[in-house]
Amino acid sequence: LICMRSIGVDIGTFSVKIAEIESSSKYARLVSYQEFPLSPDPNRDKRIEIIDIMRQVSQNWDISDTHVVMAIPQKNISLRRRAFPFRERHKILKSLAFELEDDIPFSQDDAVFEAKITSFKGSQAYVLALACPKERVQDRISLAQDCGLDLNTLSMEGAAVSSLIEYWQNPAPEEAATDSLTPDQYKADVWLSIGHENTLFNLFHNGQLIFTRSIDFGGKQIAEAIASQFHIHYLEALKELQRKAFVLLNNEGATADQIKFSDTIRHAIEPLMQEVKLSLIEVKTDLRFEVKELHLLGGVSQIRNL
């Protein structure tokens, strides 16, 4: 078997995560996983910190034999679900700029376009149509170069979560040509990945990513609420959040401080819940999917009883 080694680099606002995968035509195996926390000090230059981490770690890699994968933050990508009257990928790519002309908040000339085919139905293709400003793409490429990496694949952040769910090595599925779908065919799941500053809302139908969006909310906002409520430094609040955060299911037997701590977290996540509810409404009205299950991912999902 011919084996290939891939390095996935996830650069967040809280940490840098690096996963090494060994794969062949028959298997894929996680070889190693490392996480390097970034300084929460706002005065530190995060880019320099990231470059320093990556240059030290990559010294152990044989770059000539390694496929390096990075992603652009989801908040920097404009995404729409579209149906095209043809199935050929090259035709879809040629049509993207025209199809997204009225939907993207930046000039077509300054954008890079990409498409992910999610399913086929007769002669039609259902597609996630993506647009990203060229400057965002160039920034990620420049960062990789500064880190001493030869970047092979640049993806979107939402694809990292989808690779856990999708049979990504299989071709896009064929849908029934009839319009008389049963209720089961509208069922979908949401995977909510709550990070330090942003949350990913990923919608899956039959194991395929149908829709993704970034919500401007994360553990940082909860830590800020704890710091404000208990009059402690933000860094101390962050430690409390990581160490013992919880939401009480009922207040019976709890102390006044425990109730106050739980209520602080409960109120802090209300903006996230509002955005999730709005996204669920959008999924139901615009995409016609009924969400049956919602799964939590990310460090913040470890808050007890969240």
Coordinates of all heavy atoms in Angstrom, one line a residue, residues 22 45-46 49 58 82 102-103 120 130 139 145-146 148 168 170 172 178 191 193 196 204 214 233 243 258 261 268 289:
E22 N -2.3 9.5 8.7 CA -1.7 8.6 7.7 C -2.8 7.9 7.0 O -3.7 7.3 7.6 CB -0.8 7.6 8.4 CG 0.0 6.7 7.5 CD 0.9 5.7 8.3 OE1 0.4 4.6 8.5 OE2 2.0 6.0 8.7
D45 N 1.4 39.7 20.1 CA 1.2 39.6 18.6 C 0.9 38.1 18.3 O 1.8 37.3 18.3 CB 2.4 40.1 17.9 CG 2.2 40.1 16.4 OD1 1.4 39.3 15.9 OD2 2.8 41.0 15.7
K46 N -0.4 37.8 18.1 CA -0.8 36.4 17.9 C -0.1 35.8 16.6 O 0.2 34.6 16.6 CB -2.3 36.3 17.8 CG -3.0 36.1 19.2 CD -4.4 35.6 19.0 CE -5.0 35.1 20.3 NZ -4.9 36.0 21.4
E49 N 3.3 34.7 17.4 CA 3.1 33.5 18.3 C 2.8 32.3 17.5 O 3.4 31.2 17.8 CB 2.1 33.8 19.4 CG 2.1 32.9 20.6 CD 1.1 33.2 21.6 OE1 0.4 34.3 21.4 OE2 0.9 32.5 22.6
S58 N 7.1 22.1 13.0 CA 7.4 21.6 11.6 C 8.8 21.1 11.4 O 9.1 20.5 10.4 CB 7.0 22.6 10.6 OG 7.8 23.8 10.7
R82 N -27.5 26.3 -3.6 CA -28.1 26.6 -4.9 C -28.3 25.3 -5.7 O -27.6 24.3 -5.4 CB -27.2 27.5 -5.8 CG -27.0 28.9 -5.3 CD -28.3 29.7 -5.6 NE -28.2 31.1 -5.2 CZ -28.6 31.6 -4.0 NH1 -29.1 30.8 -3.1 NH2 -28.5 32.9 -3.8
D102 N -25.7 38.8 -6.6 CA -26.5 39.7 -5.7 C -26.4 39.3 -4.3 O -27.1 39.9 -3.4 CB -28.0 39.6 -6.2 CG -28.2 40.1 -7.6 OD1 -27.4 41.0 -8.0 OD2 -29.1 39.6 -8.3
D103 N -25.6 38.2 -4.0 CA -25.6 37.7 -2.6 C -24.4 38.0 -1.8 O -24.4 37.8 -0.6 CB -25.9 36.2 -2.6 CG -27.3 35.8 -3.0 OD1 -28.2 36.5 -2.6 OD2 -27.5 34.9 -3.8
F120 N -27.3 15.0 -6.3 CA -27.8 15.1 -7.6 C -29.3 14.7 -7.6 O -29.7 13.8 -6.8 CB -27.0 14.2 -8.6 CG -25.6 14.6 -8.8 CD1 -24.6 13.8 -8.2 CD2 -25.2 15.7 -9.4 CE1 -23.2 14.1 -8.4 CE2 -23.9 16.1 -9.6 CZ -22.9 15.3 -9.1
L130 N -19.7 28.9 -2.7 CA -18.9 29.6 -1.8 C -18.2 30.8 -2.4 O -17.7 30.6 -3.6 CB -17.8 28.7 -1.1 CG -18.3 27.3 -0.7 CD1 -17.1 26.5 -0.3 CD2 -19.2 27.4 0.5
D139 N -4.0 36.0 2.8 CA -3.5 36.1 4.1 C -3.2 34.7 4.7 O -2.2 34.5 5.4 CB -4.6 36.7 5.0 CG -4.2 36.8 6.5 OD1 -3.3 37.6 6.8 OD2 -4.7 36.1 7.3
Q145 N 3.3 30.3 4.5 CA 4.7 30.6 4.1 C 5.5 31.1 5.2 O 6.7 30.6 5.4 CB 4.7 31.5 2.9 CG 4.0 31.0 1.6 CD 3.9 32.0 0.5 OE1 3.9 33.2 0.8 NE2 3.7 31.5 -0.7
D146 N 5.0 32.0 6.0 CA 5.8 32.5 7.2 C 6.0 31.4 8.2 O 7.1 31.5 8.9 CB 5.0 33.7 7.8 CG 4.9 34.9 7.0 OD1 5.7 35.0 6.0 OD2 4.0 35.8 7.2
G148 N 6.7 28.5 7.4 CA 7.6 27.5 6.7 C 6.9 26.3 6.2 O 7.5 25.3 6.0
W168 N -16.8 11.4 3.0 CA -16.3 12.4 2.1 C -15.6 11.7 0.9 O -15.4 12.4 -0.2 CB -15.4 13.3 2.8 CG -14.3 12.6 3.6 CD1 -14.5 12.4 5.0 CD2 -13.1 12.0 3.3 NE1 -13.4 11.7 5.5 CE2 -12.5 11.5 4.4 CE3 -12.4 11.9 2.0 CZ2 -11.3 10.8 4.4 CZ3 -11.2 11.3 2.0 CH2 -10.7 10.7 3.2
N170 N -16.9 9.3 -0.9 CA -17.9 8.8 -1.8 C -18.4 10.0 -2.7 O -18.4 11.1 -2.3 CB -19.0 8.2 -1.0 CG -18.7 6.9 -0.3 OD1 -17.6 6.3 -0.6 ND2 -19.5 6.5 0.7
A172 N -21.2 12.4 -4.5 CA -22.4 13.0 -4.0 C -23.6 12.0 -4.3 O -23.7 11.4 -5.4 CB -22.7 14.3 -4.6
T178 N -38.6 12.1 -8.0 CA -40.0 12.5 -7.6 C -40.0 13.7 -6.6 O -39.0 13.8 -5.8 CB -40.8 11.4 -7.1 OG1 -42.1 11.9 -6.7 CG2 -40.1 10.7 -5.9
W191 N -24.9 20.1 14.0 CA -23.7 20.0 14.9 C -23.3 21.4 15.2 O -22.9 22.2 14.3 CB -22.6 19.2 14.2 CG -23.0 17.8 14.1 CD1 -23.9 17.2 13.3 CD2 -22.4 16.7 14.8 NE1 -24.0 15.8 13.5 CE2 -23.1 15.5 14.4 CE3 -21.4 16.6 15.8 CZ2 -22.7 14.3 15.0 CZ3 -21.1 15.4 16.4 CH2 -21.8 14.2 15.9
S193 N -20.7 23.7 16.9 CA -19.3 23.6 17.5 C -19.0 25.0 18.1 O -18.8 26.0 17.4 CB -18.3 23.3 16.3 OG -17.0 23.2 16.8
H196 N -13.9 29.5 20.9 CA -13.5 30.6 21.9 C -14.2 31.9 21.5 O -14.7 32.6 22.4 CB -12.0 30.8 21.8 CG -11.5 31.9 22.8 ND1 -11.7 31.8 24.2 CD2 -10.8 33.0 22.6 CE1 -11.2 32.8 24.8 NE2 -10.6 33.6 23.8
F204 N -26.7 18.9 8.6 CA -26.4 17.7 7.9 C -27.7 17.0 7.5 O -28.6 16.9 8.4 CB -25.5 16.7 8.7 CG -24.1 17.2 8.8 CD1 -23.8 18.0 9.9 CD2 -23.2 16.9 7.9 CE1 -22.5 18.4 10.1 CE2 -21.9 17.3 8.0 CZ -21.5 18.1 9.1
S214 N -21.3 30.9 10.5 CA -20.6 31.2 11.7 C -21.4 32.2 12.5 O -22.0 33.2 12.0 CB -19.2 31.9 11.3 OG -18.5 32.3 12.4
H233 N -10.6 39.4 37.3 CA -9.9 39.6 36.1 C -10.4 38.6 35.0 O -10.7 37.5 35.3 CB -8.4 39.5 36.2 CG -7.5 40.0 35.1 ND1 -7.3 39.2 34.0 CD2 -7.0 41.2 34.9 CE1 -6.6 40.0 33.1 NE2 -6.4 41.1 33.6
R243 N -12.4 25.3 34.3 CA -12.2 24.4 35.4 C -13.5 23.8 35.9 O -13.6 22.6 36.2 CB -11.4 25.1 36.5 CG -10.9 24.2 37.6 CD -9.8 24.9 38.4 NE -10.3 26.2 38.9 CZ -9.5 27.2 39.0 NH1 -8.2 27.2 38.6 NH2 -10.0 28.4 39.5
Q258 N -23.4 29.5 43.9 CA -23.6 28.5 42.8 C -24.7 29.0 41.9 O -24.6 28.9 40.6 CB -23.8 27.2 43.4 CG -22.6 26.5 44.0 CD -22.9 25.2 44.7 OE1 -24.0 25.0 45.2 NE2 -21.9 24.3 44.8
F261 N -23.5 31.9 39.8 CA -22.6 31.5 38.8 C -23.3 30.8 37.6 O -23.1 31.1 36.4 CB -21.6 30.5 39.4 CG -20.4 30.1 38.5 CD1 -19.4 31.0 38.2 CD2 -20.4 28.8 37.9 CE1 -18.4 30.6 37.4 CE2 -19.3 28.4 37.1 CZ -18.3 29.3 36.8
A268 N -25.5 34.6 29.8 CA -24.5 34.9 28.8 C -24.7 34.2 27.5 O -24.4 34.7 26.4 CB -23.1 34.5 29.4
F289 N -35.9 21.8 5.7 CA -35.4 20.7 6.5 C -35.9 20.8 8.0 O -36.0 21.9 8.5 CB -33.9 20.6 6.5 CG -33.4 20.1 5.2 CD1 -32.7 21.0 4.4 CD2 -33.5 18.8 4.9 CE1 -32.2 20.5 3.2 CE2 -33.0 18.3 3.7 CZ -32.3 19.2 2.8

